[in-house]
Amino acid sequence: MRPAALSLLVWLGGVAVLVLLQPAHAHAAGETVQAVVNQLATQFMCQCGCGLTLASCTHPVCGPRDRMLAEIRRLVEAGKTPAEITDVLVAQYGEAVLAAPPRRGLNLVAWWGPYAALLAGAVVILLLGASWTRRPAPQAAPPSSLTPEERRLLDEELRKFDV
Amino acid sequence: MSEIGNLSVALAALVSAYGLVAALLGAGLRRADLQHSARNATYALFLLLTVASAVLLWQLVTRDFGNAYVASYTSRDLGFWYTVSAWWAGQAGSLLFWAWLLAGFGTLVVWRQGAYRELMPYVIATVMGTSSFFTLLLALVSSPFARLPFPPPDGQGLNPLLQNPGMFFHPPTQYLGYVGFTIPFAFAIAAMATRRLDDEWIRATRRWTLASWFFLSLGILFGMQWAYVELGWGGYWAWDPVENASLMPWLTGTAFLHSVMIQEKRDMLKVWNLVLIILTFALAIFGTFLTRSGVLSSVHSFALSSLGPLFFAFIALVLIVSFTLLAARLPWLRSAGDLDSLLSREASFLFNNLILVGAAFSVFLGTIFPLVSEAVRGVKISVGAPFFNQVNVPIGLALLLVMGLCPLLAWRKASAANLRRNFLLPGALGLLAAILLLLRGVSQPVALAAFALSVFVTATIVLDFHRGAMVRRAHGEPYPLALGRLVLRNRRRYGGYIVHLGVILLFAGMAGGAFRTEREAVLRQGQTVAINQYTLRYEGLSQYPTPGALVTAATLTVFNGNEPVGVLNPQRNIHRGHEEQPMTEVAIRSTLLEDLYVILAGIGEDGSASFRVIVNPLMMWMWIGGALLSLGTVVAFWPERREALRARARYLVGAEA
């Protein structure tokens, strides 16, 4: 059974790799201007103060949003690439128009900080884990050599001396 | 009436301060009378805040517009239940609601868990300390009973965004969760103060933790649902600062919920558990603070205020006191247990915790990063949905993987046989699912990974249910009965699995978002717009007044292929008193496969109407997942008879010793 299961896994893995290598941009040519605008709307912050992207601004009527979307549409229709559109909007509204901060300078802390922390945590767990697994049977530390009840009584007695 | 409210709040602040001092002195001096008095102060606090809340509710219901709060959040035409919800709709009211819940929980603890005699004074002190902060805010900074010199003839009315059934459930459940975590935190402080650092405090608060986690989960889910049906942009989670604020304590609380099991079973991770509950409580306060301070712009900051610095000071105080106490107790916190192997359930829980806390950290960093950037570089930046999605997707997938691995790794040391037995079949099924999806044209890598992992985790859980049931069946029980009894006899374990199944469905629903499609169209009567297999025909507009609003509704006939499947009526309403802010009421047609979501975006003067039409795949599964998560938590929460008997036996043995 086992070799059969293994060979099945290998076969399945092979098929997966083959399918993954297929080009996935077949329908890119058919994308409409609207689809590009919708996509870009998720990348820029609405300037109405809602603190959300153009795609998720919650105001049913929102002048700033409509103006920006119209501008983006005009740029897309003029054949600008998303990178060029980004430059235009950043020049106009400042860096805060980007829904995700550009990956440079201080912003790298936000982008990579979580992963660095996770990596550090994993290293700590592995090191600690290794030392815990190697450690001989635990030597009872002085405070824990007492039962909780004894400890309570001791605390009580000591407290009497404190007063 | 307002005088009674003001007096109750002022007395509540005094009683809180008194309770704090009495509890601490009672514990320090070993004075039973002071301890008793502190206990009674908890009851008094609850009574006083109940009176204050009753006064506010009375004023809301009777439309006492002389009260500034009532005038700001209600109007004569507001329905009864929304009037009640005004209790927590505004800043002062919601602070009162917070304080009232806390006093209620404190009373429940004193009444039901008085047996923890050593811990109780410090538990009371912590509850009273927290209550002092909130009641002082109510008494001095943000009173729900401030009077207006001239009562207006009518109030400003409740923000139309808040007039949705979801808002009746979302804030209370959210607050129940936030406030609930005060109790495990209070027990943790008490455990540190008394040096009773075994698993007593964890056992004492297991149910509190579970209940708080449950309510926080529900609060988040109700919030998502509200955002989905009410905010009208087609999504349910925008990574808004306040949404993030609710997610952070949920993540650390989830980590805590898991890691306490290691302390119970193996007497390990004592320091870590204390750190987690301190963080969870601080983040819960931070969540309340973000909602109410307006320090970060947010759709939820319905009131700007001067509360920011005070909340900040309180959080700092909580962290300083807690971590100082923790540092002082480190010598007593050495773990008795040891790790036998890095390939064991204990170790996998460490990774589960790491990922959950890592996720919380990433959300925290992203949420506060605009402030950091402005402080360091002097440049305003935005950190929005694309950032959080990109950073958190890999973390979420890792979490999903660990969710499959954790529960089925053996304690102490997993053998090769254990791994093969539990993971070979689910692993193969996950891979198979990935291949089938690829063949069906699903090439989005994140969605593919999420679905494949979902299948893997589901298979591990189903396999474990099946094995357990088969063992019982071998003893003569029919299979369905065996399955039912299996769950009922091991509620904690199988309840947990049911929660996991719910979380998988949530993940699947989120992954479905990768296949969302959207169209915008300006239609004249009789024209159609097509999206996927649907065609929507615009039939016309109708306008009619309701007690609080002027409704403009579009009628659209929906065809699935050529077959008419229903009529949708997206609306655009102008609420009285909020004429400058028309509200969209979306129309949603839900099936198990997908939601057809229609927004009436605008109305032309020539009778044309513009629509945004969205197809959101698998949305229904999110809500089903939420229901399953709730069901699982209830199963895990439900007391087990045998456990109760064992607990009593332990108590009796302890009493004789």
Side-chain angles (χ1 to χ4, degrees), chain B residues 206 209-210 213 252-261 276 349 492:
Chain B
R206 192 178 83 82
T209 307
L210 205 56
W213 183 86
T252 55
T254 309
F256 177 71
L257 204 62
H258 287 87
S259 72
V260 289
M261 289 184 222
L276 278 181
F349 269 54
R492 230 175 132 177

Side-chain angles (χ1 to χ4, degrees), chain B residues 227-377:
Chain B
Y228 187 61
V229 302
E230 190 62 28
L231 292 184
W233 57 276
Y236 48 86
W237 191 269
W239 295 103
D240 173 88
V242 172
E243 291 170 348
N244 297 349
S246 69
L247 185 61
M248 287 186 273
W250 186 86
L251 288 167
T252 55
T254 309
F256 177 71
L257 204 62
H258 287 87
S259 72
V260 289
M261 289 184 222
I262 306 292
Q263 185 167 346
E264 281 182 50
K265 290 249 184 207
R266 298 293 313 274
D267 205 19
M268 294 166 69
L269 303 185
K270 290 176 176 176
V271 178
W272 180 237
N273 286 330
L274 288 164
V275 170
L276 278 181
I277 192 62
I278 293 168
L279 284 182
T280 304
F281 175 70
L283 285 170
I285 300 282
F286 185 61
T288 313
F289 156 67
L290 275 191
T291 320
R292 291 299 161 197
S293 70
V295 66
L296 293 161
S297 60
S298 151
V299 284
H300 289 70
S301 298
F302 295 108
L304 291 175
S305 80
S306 54
L307 292 183
L310 296 170
F311 261 98
F312 192 70
F314 181 64
I315 294 170
L317 183 73
V318 165
L319 290 176
I320 291 168
V321 169
S322 309
F323 281 113
T324 309
L325 197 54
L326 180 61
R329 292 296 178 262
L330 279 179
W332 283 268
L333 284 165
R334 290 185 55 169
S335 287
D338 273 270
L339 207 58
D340 293 280
S341 161
L342 279 170
L343 200 61
S344 62
R345 187 163 324 166
E346 298 90 311
S348 78
F349 269 54
L350 293 178
F351 285 101
N352 134 325
N353 267 243
L354 174 69
I355 294 169
L356 283 165
V357 175
F361 175 67
S362 95
V363 176
F364 180 76
L365 195 60
T367 307
I368 60 150
F369 205 74
L371 300 179
V372 175
S373 172
E374 203 166 352
V376 177
R377 289 169 60 208

Side-chain angles (χ1 to χ4, degrees), chain B residues 422-435:
Chain B
N422 286 331
F423 298 117
L424 190 61
L425 183 64
L429 284 174
L431 206 59
L432 190 65
I435 290 159

